[in-house]
Amino acid sequence: MKPKLVYTTDPEEAKRLRESNEMPRLRDAAPAAQTIKVALDRKRRGGKTVTVASGFELSPESLEKLAQQLKKRCGAGGTSKDGEIEVQGDHASTVMAELTKLGYRIKRG
């Protein structure tokens, strides 16, 4: 069994790993296999409401693409990070409807 490299400080080794595609890639899980929790949040946001969808098992690129789609549908700003999508404002019903249309299972949080 080949040992799995977890971390390296050697820039040449890191470059070699990136170029040889030996670094693990996060695969996107099927939408039907994911249960997404949609909730409203006001904590640490100066009293402003944010719709948070969490529980995604997607690569950062796919998560950002989905976030762009949801933000455009809601006509609002937002961000995506750490398996979560935040959309500014109270757009829970719109986000839930859009994710359901895409095949995700939704849980109201």
Side-chain angles (χ1 to χ4, degrees):
M1 187 168 115
K2 187 175 174 184
K4 189 173 187 179
L5 180 67
V6 177
Y7 180 79
T8 182
T9 57
D10 181 16
E12 292 301 317
E13 179 69 10
K15 182 178 179 183
R16 187 190 67 75
L17 286 170
R18 278 193 303 274
E19 289 173 352
S20 68
N21 289 327
E22 289 181 30
M23 295 186 77
R25 300 273 185 218
L26 183 63
R27 292 188 181 175
D28 295 346
Q34 301 180 53
T35 301
I36 307 304
K37 182 178 176 184
V38 177
L40 297 178
D41 188 19
R42 286 191 182 155
K43 295 178 183 170
R44 303 176 313 275
R45 303 182 198 286
K48 304 218 184 309
T49 302
V50 175
T51 303
V52 179
S54 59
F56 291 99
E57 297 174 23
L58 300 172
S59 66
E61 296 83 20
S62 297
L63 188 65
E64 180 61 33
K65 187 176 175 184
L66 180 59
Q68 290 292 333
Q69 185 178 349
L70 291 174
K71 292 186 303 184
K72 183 182 269 188
R73 179 74 173 91
C74 295
T79 187
S80 64
K81 60 184 173 190
D82 302 328
E84 287 187 349
I85 296 176
E86 298 177 0
V87 180
Q88 296 172 354
D90 183 354
H91 298 286
S93 58
T94 307
V95 169
M96 288 190 305
E98 193 68 20
L99 291 174
T100 301
K101 192 182 342 176
L102 294 173
Y104 292 93
R105 290 180 290 166
I106 305 299
K107 180 179 178 184
R108 181 73 189 230

